[in-house]
Short mmCIF file of all heavy atoms in Angstrom, two decimals:
data_model
loop_
_atom_site.label_atom_id
_atom_site.label_comp_id
_atom_site.label_asym_id
_atom_site.label_seq_id
_atom_site.Cartn_x
_atom_site.Cartn_y
_atom_site.Cartn_z
N ASN A 268 60.14 -20.18 -16.99
CA ASN A 268 61.08 -19.52 -17.90
C ASN A 268 62.32 -18.98 -17.18
O ASN A 268 63.21 -18.44 -17.80
CB ASN A 268 60.40 -18.42 -18.74
CG ASN A 268 59.94 -17.28 -17.90
OD1 ASN A 268 59.51 -17.50 -16.76
ND2 ASN A 268 60.03 -16.06 -18.41
N TYR A 269 62.40 -19.12 -15.86
CA TYR A 269 63.65 -18.83 -15.16
C TYR A 269 64.71 -19.80 -15.66
O TYR A 269 65.87 -19.42 -15.85
CB TYR A 269 63.44 -19.00 -13.65
CG TYR A 269 64.66 -18.66 -12.81
CD1 TYR A 269 64.87 -17.35 -12.40
CD2 TYR A 269 65.58 -19.63 -12.44
CE1 TYR A 269 65.99 -17.03 -11.63
CE2 TYR A 269 66.68 -19.33 -11.67
CZ TYR A 269 66.89 -18.03 -11.28
OH TYR A 269 67.98 -17.70 -10.52
N CYS A 270 64.33 -21.06 -15.88
CA CYS A 270 65.27 -22.05 -16.38
C CYS A 270 65.12 -22.29 -17.88
O CYS A 270 66.12 -22.40 -18.59
CB CYS A 270 65.07 -23.38 -15.65
SG CYS A 270 65.53 -23.29 -13.91
N HIS A 271 63.87 -22.37 -18.35
CA HIS A 271 63.67 -22.61 -19.78
C HIS A 271 63.55 -21.27 -20.48
O HIS A 271 62.46 -20.81 -20.83
CB HIS A 271 62.43 -23.49 -19.98
CG HIS A 271 62.54 -24.80 -19.29
ND1 HIS A 271 63.51 -25.72 -19.61
CD2 HIS A 271 61.86 -25.35 -18.25
CE1 HIS A 271 63.40 -26.79 -18.83
NE2 HIS A 271 62.41 -26.58 -17.99
N THR A 272 64.70 -20.63 -20.66
CA THR A 272 64.74 -19.22 -21.00
C THR A 272 64.17 -18.91 -22.39
O THR A 272 63.85 -17.76 -22.67
CB THR A 272 66.18 -18.70 -20.95
OG1 THR A 272 66.99 -19.62 -21.70
CG2 THR A 272 66.70 -18.63 -19.54
N GLY A 273 64.06 -19.91 -23.25
CA GLY A 273 63.62 -19.60 -24.63
C GLY A 273 62.12 -19.74 -24.82
O GLY A 273 61.60 -19.44 -25.87
N VAL A 274 61.43 -20.20 -23.77
CA VAL A 274 60.09 -20.71 -24.00
C VAL A 274 59.07 -19.67 -24.47
O VAL A 274 58.13 -19.98 -25.18
CB VAL A 274 59.60 -21.50 -22.75
CG1 VAL A 274 59.11 -20.59 -21.66
CG2 VAL A 274 58.55 -22.51 -23.15
N TYR A 275 59.27 -18.38 -24.09
CA TYR A 275 58.35 -17.35 -24.58
C TYR A 275 58.96 -16.55 -25.73
O TYR A 275 58.33 -15.70 -26.29
CB TYR A 275 58.00 -16.38 -23.44
CG TYR A 275 57.18 -17.02 -22.36
CD1 TYR A 275 57.72 -17.23 -21.09
CD2 TYR A 275 55.88 -17.45 -22.61
CE1 TYR A 275 56.98 -17.84 -20.09
CE2 TYR A 275 55.14 -18.07 -21.62
CZ TYR A 275 55.69 -18.26 -20.37
OH TYR A 275 54.95 -18.86 -19.40
N LYS A 276 60.24 -16.85 -26.04
CA LYS A 276 60.93 -16.02 -27.00
C LYS A 276 61.33 -16.74 -28.28
O LYS A 276 61.50 -16.13 -29.31
CB LYS A 276 62.22 -15.46 -26.37
CG LYS A 276 61.97 -14.50 -25.22
CD LYS A 276 63.26 -13.87 -24.74
CE LYS A 276 64.16 -14.86 -24.04
NZ LYS A 276 64.85 -14.32 -22.86
N GLY A 277 61.54 -18.06 -28.17
CA GLY A 277 62.16 -18.72 -29.31
C GLY A 277 61.50 -20.01 -29.69
O GLY A 277 60.45 -20.39 -29.16
N LYS A 278 62.15 -20.70 -30.61
CA LYS A 278 61.65 -21.98 -31.08
C LYS A 278 61.76 -23.01 -29.94
O LYS A 278 60.77 -23.64 -29.58
CB LYS A 278 62.47 -22.41 -32.28
CG LYS A 278 62.07 -23.77 -32.81
CD LYS A 278 62.95 -24.15 -33.98
CE LYS A 278 62.62 -25.53 -34.49
NZ LYS A 278 62.70 -26.59 -33.48
N GLY A 279 62.96 -23.17 -29.41
CA GLY A 279 63.18 -24.17 -28.35
C GLY A 279 63.01 -23.55 -26.98
O GLY A 279 63.20 -22.34 -26.80
N ALA A 280 62.65 -24.39 -26.00
CA ALA A 280 62.46 -23.87 -24.65
C ALA A 280 63.79 -23.72 -23.92
O ALA A 280 63.92 -22.92 -23.01
CB ALA A 280 61.54 -24.81 -23.87
N ASN A 281 64.82 -24.49 -24.35
CA ASN A 281 66.15 -24.55 -23.72
C ASN A 281 66.14 -25.34 -22.40
O ASN A 281 65.25 -25.18 -21.58
CB ASN A 281 66.72 -23.16 -23.39
CG ASN A 281 66.96 -22.32 -24.62
OD1 ASN A 281 66.84 -22.82 -25.73
ND2 ASN A 281 67.27 -21.06 -24.41
N ILE A 282 67.16 -26.14 -22.24
CA ILE A 282 67.41 -26.81 -20.97
C ILE A 282 68.47 -25.96 -20.26
O ILE A 282 69.46 -25.58 -20.88
CB ILE A 282 67.92 -28.24 -21.20
CG1 ILE A 282 66.88 -29.09 -21.95
CG2 ILE A 282 68.30 -28.91 -19.89
CD1 ILE A 282 65.59 -29.31 -21.20
N PRO A 283 68.28 -25.63 -18.98
CA PRO A 283 69.20 -24.69 -18.32
C PRO A 283 70.62 -25.24 -18.22
O PRO A 283 70.80 -26.43 -18.04
CB PRO A 283 68.58 -24.50 -16.94
CG PRO A 283 67.72 -25.70 -16.73
CD PRO A 283 67.20 -26.07 -18.08
N SER A 284 71.59 -24.35 -18.32
CA SER A 284 72.98 -24.75 -18.11
C SER A 284 73.24 -24.82 -16.61
O SER A 284 72.46 -24.28 -15.81
CB SER A 284 73.92 -23.73 -18.73
OG SER A 284 73.84 -22.52 -17.99
N ALA A 285 74.36 -25.44 -16.25
CA ALA A 285 74.69 -25.58 -14.83
C ALA A 285 74.83 -24.22 -14.14
O ALA A 285 74.61 -24.10 -12.94
CB ALA A 285 75.98 -26.39 -14.69
N ASN A 286 75.17 -23.19 -14.91
CA ASN A 286 75.33 -21.87 -14.31
C ASN A 286 74.03 -21.37 -13.70
O ASN A 286 74.04 -20.69 -12.68
CB ASN A 286 75.78 -20.87 -15.39
CG ASN A 286 77.23 -21.05 -15.70
OD1 ASN A 286 78.03 -21.34 -14.80
ND2 ASN A 286 77.58 -20.98 -16.97
N ILE A 287 72.90 -21.70 -14.35
CA ILE A 287 71.62 -21.27 -13.79
C ILE A 287 71.36 -21.96 -12.46
O ILE A 287 70.89 -21.34 -11.51
CB ILE A 287 70.48 -21.52 -14.80
CG1 ILE A 287 70.67 -20.60 -16.01
CG2 ILE A 287 69.11 -21.30 -14.16
CD1 ILE A 287 69.56 -20.58 -17.02
N CYS A 288 71.73 -23.23 -12.36
CA CYS A 288 71.57 -23.95 -11.09
C CYS A 288 72.42 -23.25 -10.02
O CYS A 288 72.02 -23.17 -8.85
CB CYS A 288 72.02 -25.40 -11.20
SG CYS A 288 71.47 -26.28 -12.67
N MET A 289 73.59 -22.75 -10.45
CA MET A 289 74.53 -22.18 -9.47
C MET A 289 74.02 -20.85 -8.88
O MET A 289 74.47 -20.46 -7.82
CB MET A 289 75.90 -21.96 -10.14
CG MET A 289 76.64 -23.25 -10.42
SD MET A 289 76.74 -24.30 -8.99
CE MET A 289 78.07 -23.44 -8.14
N ASN A 290 73.10 -20.17 -9.58
CA ASN A 290 72.52 -18.97 -8.99
C ASN A 290 72.06 -19.28 -7.57
O ASN A 290 72.10 -18.43 -6.69
CB ASN A 290 71.31 -18.49 -9.79
CG ASN A 290 71.74 -17.81 -11.07
OD1 ASN A 290 72.91 -17.50 -11.23
ND2 ASN A 290 70.80 -17.58 -11.97
N CYS A 291 71.58 -20.50 -7.35
CA CYS A 291 71.09 -20.85 -6.04
C CYS A 291 72.00 -21.84 -5.34
O CYS A 291 72.26 -21.74 -4.15
CB CYS A 291 69.70 -21.48 -6.16
SG CYS A 291 68.51 -20.35 -6.85
N HIS A 292 72.53 -22.80 -6.10
CA HIS A 292 73.21 -23.91 -5.42
C HIS A 292 74.65 -23.63 -5.06
O HIS A 292 75.30 -24.46 -4.45
CB HIS A 292 73.06 -25.20 -6.23
CG HIS A 292 71.69 -25.79 -6.12
ND1 HIS A 292 71.21 -26.29 -4.93
CD2 HIS A 292 70.68 -25.89 -7.01
CE1 HIS A 292 69.96 -26.70 -5.12
NE2 HIS A 292 69.60 -26.46 -6.36
N ASN A 293 75.15 -22.44 -5.37
CA ASN A 293 76.43 -22.10 -4.76
C ASN A 293 76.22 -21.81 -3.28
O ASN A 293 77.16 -21.75 -2.53
CB ASN A 293 77.11 -20.92 -5.49
CG ASN A 293 76.29 -19.66 -5.41
OD1 ASN A 293 75.21 -19.65 -4.84
ND2 ASN A 293 76.81 -18.58 -5.98
N ALA A 294 74.94 -21.68 -2.88
CA ALA A 294 74.68 -21.48 -1.46
C ALA A 294 73.80 -22.56 -0.85
O ALA A 294 73.95 -22.89 0.31
CB ALA A 294 74.01 -20.11 -1.28
N ILE A 295 72.93 -23.17 -1.66
CA ILE A 295 71.95 -24.10 -1.09
C ILE A 295 72.40 -25.54 -1.21
O ILE A 295 72.80 -25.98 -2.30
CB ILE A 295 70.62 -23.96 -1.83
CG1 ILE A 295 70.01 -22.60 -1.55
CG2 ILE A 295 69.61 -25.03 -1.40
CD1 ILE A 295 68.72 -22.37 -2.25
N LYS A 296 72.35 -26.29 -0.10
CA LYS A 296 72.58 -27.74 -0.11
C LYS A 296 73.91 -28.11 -0.76
O LYS A 296 73.99 -29.09 -1.52
CB LYS A 296 71.44 -28.45 -0.84
CG LYS A 296 70.21 -28.68 0.01
CD LYS A 296 70.03 -30.16 0.32
CE LYS A 296 69.07 -30.35 1.45
NZ LYS A 296 68.64 -31.73 1.59
N ARG A 297 74.95 -27.34 -0.48
CA ARG A 297 76.24 -27.61 -1.12
C ARG A 297 76.71 -29.02 -0.86
O ARG A 297 77.41 -29.63 -1.65
CB ARG A 297 77.29 -26.63 -0.58
CG ARG A 297 76.98 -25.18 -0.85
CD ARG A 297 77.99 -24.27 -0.15
NE ARG A 297 79.31 -24.43 -0.74
CZ ARG A 297 79.81 -23.59 -1.61
NH1 ARG A 297 79.12 -22.53 -1.99
NH2 ARG A 297 81.01 -23.77 -2.10
N GLU A 298 76.36 -29.57 0.31
CA GLU A 298 76.90 -30.85 0.72
C GLU A 298 76.22 -32.05 0.04
O GLU A 298 76.74 -33.14 0.04
CB GLU A 298 76.83 -30.99 2.26
CG GLU A 298 75.42 -31.18 2.84
CD GLU A 298 74.49 -29.97 2.69
OE1 GLU A 298 74.96 -28.88 2.32
OE2 GLU A 298 73.28 -30.14 2.92
N SER A 299 75.05 -31.82 -0.59
CA SER A 299 74.30 -32.93 -1.17
C SER A 299 75.09 -33.55 -2.34
O SER A 299 75.63 -32.84 -3.18
CB SER A 299 72.96 -32.43 -1.70
OG SER A 299 72.50 -33.27 -2.72
N PRO A 300 75.17 -34.89 -2.37
CA PRO A 300 75.89 -35.55 -3.47
C PRO A 300 75.31 -35.18 -4.83
O PRO A 300 76.07 -35.06 -5.81
CB PRO A 300 75.69 -37.04 -3.21
CG PRO A 300 75.00 -37.18 -1.90
CD PRO A 300 74.59 -35.84 -1.40
N GLU A 301 74.01 -34.95 -4.89
CA GLU A 301 73.39 -34.60 -6.17
C GLU A 301 73.86 -33.21 -6.62
O GLU A 301 74.07 -32.97 -7.79
CB GLU A 301 71.85 -34.61 -6.05
CG GLU A 301 71.27 -35.99 -5.84
CD GLU A 301 71.57 -36.96 -6.97
OE1 GLU A 301 71.36 -36.58 -8.13
OE2 GLU A 301 72.05 -38.08 -6.70
N ILE A 302 74.00 -32.30 -5.65
CA ILE A 302 74.47 -30.94 -5.98
C ILE A 302 75.95 -30.96 -6.35
O ILE A 302 76.40 -30.22 -7.22
CB ILE A 302 74.22 -29.97 -4.80
CG1 ILE A 302 72.72 -29.97 -4.44
CG2 ILE A 302 74.70 -28.56 -5.12
CD1 ILE A 302 71.79 -29.51 -5.52
N GLN A 303 76.72 -31.86 -5.68
CA GLN A 303 78.14 -32.00 -6.02
C GLN A 303 78.34 -32.31 -7.51
O GLN A 303 79.30 -31.89 -8.12
CB GLN A 303 78.77 -33.14 -5.18
CG GLN A 303 78.79 -32.87 -3.67
CD GLN A 303 79.82 -31.82 -3.29
OE1 GLN A 303 80.85 -31.72 -3.92
NE2 GLN A 303 79.52 -31.04 -2.26
N LYS A 304 77.35 -33.05 -8.06
CA LYS A 304 77.45 -33.39 -9.49
C LYS A 304 77.43 -32.13 -10.35
O LYS A 304 78.08 -32.09 -11.40
CB LYS A 304 76.28 -34.28 -9.91
CG LYS A 304 76.32 -35.69 -9.33
CD LYS A 304 75.16 -36.50 -9.89
CE LYS A 304 74.96 -37.80 -9.13
NZ LYS A 304 73.65 -38.40 -9.48
N ILE A 305 76.69 -31.10 -9.90
CA ILE A 305 76.66 -29.84 -10.66
C ILE A 305 78.04 -29.21 -10.62
O ILE A 305 78.58 -28.77 -11.63
CB ILE A 305 75.62 -28.85 -10.08
CG1 ILE A 305 74.25 -29.52 -9.96
CG2 ILE A 305 75.55 -27.60 -10.95
CD1 ILE A 305 73.20 -28.63 -9.32
N TYR A 306 78.67 -29.18 -9.41
CA TYR A 306 80.01 -28.59 -9.29
C TYR A 306 81.01 -29.31 -10.18
O TYR A 306 81.84 -28.71 -10.85
CB TYR A 306 80.51 -28.66 -7.83
CG TYR A 306 79.64 -27.91 -6.86
CD1 TYR A 306 79.54 -28.32 -5.54
CD2 TYR A 306 78.93 -26.78 -7.25
CE1 TYR A 306 78.74 -27.65 -4.65
CE2 TYR A 306 78.13 -26.11 -6.36
CZ TYR A 306 78.04 -26.54 -5.06
OH TYR A 306 77.25 -25.87 -4.18
N ARG A 307 80.92 -30.66 -10.17
CA ARG A 307 81.86 -31.46 -10.96
C ARG A 307 81.74 -31.12 -12.45
O ARG A 307 82.73 -30.96 -13.13
CB ARG A 307 81.61 -32.96 -10.73
CG ARG A 307 82.86 -33.68 -10.23
CD ARG A 307 82.53 -35.10 -9.81
NE ARG A 307 81.77 -35.13 -8.56
CZ ARG A 307 80.80 -35.99 -8.30
NH1 ARG A 307 80.46 -36.90 -9.19
NH2 ARG A 307 80.16 -35.97 -7.14
N SER A 308 80.47 -30.99 -12.89
CA SER A 308 80.27 -30.68 -14.30
C SER A 308 80.91 -29.33 -14.65
O SER A 308 81.51 -29.19 -15.70
CB SER A 308 78.76 -30.66 -14.59
OG SER A 308 78.43 -29.61 -15.44
N LEU A 309 80.81 -28.37 -13.74
CA LEU A 309 81.38 -27.05 -14.00
C LEU A 309 82.91 -27.09 -13.97
O LEU A 309 83.57 -26.50 -14.82
CB LEU A 309 80.87 -26.03 -13.01
CG LEU A 309 79.47 -25.48 -13.31
CD1 LEU A 309 78.91 -24.70 -12.16
CD2 LEU A 309 79.51 -24.62 -14.57
N GLU A 310 83.44 -27.85 -12.99
CA GLU A 310 84.90 -27.95 -12.86
C GLU A 310 85.51 -28.57 -14.11
O GLU A 310 86.48 -28.08 -14.65
CB GLU A 310 85.28 -28.82 -11.66
CG GLU A 310 85.39 -28.04 -10.36
CD GLU A 310 85.28 -28.96 -9.16
OE1 GLU A 310 85.59 -30.16 -9.28
OE2 GLU A 310 84.86 -28.47 -8.08
N LYS A 311 84.87 -29.67 -14.56
CA LYS A 311 85.40 -30.36 -15.75
C LYS A 311 84.97 -29.69 -17.03
O LYS A 311 85.41 -30.09 -18.11
CB LYS A 311 84.88 -31.80 -15.76
CG LYS A 311 85.47 -32.68 -14.68
CD LYS A 311 85.21 -34.13 -15.05
CE LYS A 311 85.30 -35.04 -13.84
NZ LYS A 311 84.34 -36.16 -13.94
N ASP A 312 84.10 -28.68 -16.91
CA ASP A 312 83.60 -27.99 -18.09
C ASP A 312 82.88 -28.95 -19.04
O ASP A 312 82.99 -28.86 -20.26
CB ASP A 312 84.75 -27.28 -18.80
CG ASP A 312 84.23 -26.16 -19.70
OD1 ASP A 312 83.07 -25.76 -19.51
OD2 ASP A 312 84.95 -25.71 -20.59
N GLU A 313 82.20 -29.94 -18.45
CA GLU A 313 81.41 -30.87 -19.25
C GLU A 313 79.95 -30.64 -18.92
O GLU A 313 79.56 -30.77 -17.77
CB GLU A 313 81.75 -32.32 -18.88
CG GLU A 313 83.04 -32.81 -19.43
CD GLU A 313 83.47 -34.14 -18.83
OE1 GLU A 313 82.69 -34.68 -18.01
OE2 GLU A 313 84.56 -34.60 -19.16
N PRO A 314 79.13 -30.32 -19.93
CA PRO A 314 77.71 -30.07 -19.60
C PRO A 314 77.03 -31.31 -19.03
O PRO A 314 77.43 -32.43 -19.32
CB PRO A 314 77.08 -29.69 -20.96
CG PRO A 314 78.09 -30.06 -21.98
CD PRO A 314 79.42 -30.16 -21.35
N ILE A 315 76.05 -31.06 -18.18
CA ILE A 315 75.29 -32.19 -17.59
C ILE A 315 74.56 -32.91 -18.71
O ILE A 315 73.92 -32.26 -19.55
CB ILE A 315 74.29 -31.66 -16.56
CG1 ILE A 315 75.00 -30.86 -15.46
CG2 ILE A 315 73.48 -32.79 -15.94
CD1 ILE A 315 74.08 -30.03 -14.59
N GLN A 316 74.66 -34.23 -18.74
CA GLN A 316 74.06 -34.99 -19.85
C GLN A 316 72.60 -35.34 -19.57
O GLN A 316 72.26 -36.48 -19.30
CB GLN A 316 74.86 -36.30 -20.07
CG GLN A 316 76.30 -36.08 -20.47
CD GLN A 316 76.45 -35.55 -21.88
OE1 GLN A 316 75.68 -35.88 -22.76
NE2 GLN A 316 77.43 -34.65 -22.08
N TRP A 317 71.73 -34.33 -19.62
CA TRP A 317 70.31 -34.58 -19.42
C TRP A 317 69.78 -35.46 -20.54
O TRP A 317 70.17 -35.29 -21.69
CB TRP A 317 69.50 -33.28 -19.39
CG TRP A 317 69.91 -32.29 -18.34
CD1 TRP A 317 70.54 -31.10 -18.55
CD2 TRP A 317 69.73 -32.42 -16.92
NE1 TRP A 317 70.76 -30.47 -17.34
CE2 TRP A 317 70.27 -31.27 -16.32
CE3 TRP A 317 69.18 -33.39 -16.10
CZ2 TRP A 317 70.28 -31.05 -14.96
CZ3 TRP A 317 69.18 -33.18 -14.75
CH2 TRP A 317 69.70 -32.04 -14.17
#
Side-chain angles (χ1 to χ4, degrees):
N268 66 324
Y269 183 88
C270 293
H271 301 297
T272 49
V274 80
Y275 294 111
K276 295 186 290 220
K278 178 182 177 303
N281 297 351
I282 298 296
S284 69
N286 285 321
I287 292 188
C288 315
M289 289 308 282
N290 284 348
C291 298
H292 285 293
N293 63 358
I295 294 178
K296 278 249 164 168
R297 299 174 67 100
E298 71 293 349
S299 154
E301 293 299 310
I302 303 299
Q303 296 287 328
K304 290 183 192 167
I305 308 176
Y306 299 150
R307 237 171 288 143
S308 139
L309 279 169
E310 272 160 25
K311 290 197 200 145
D312 201 17
E313 283 169 2
I315 303 166
Q316 298 289 325
W317 301 110

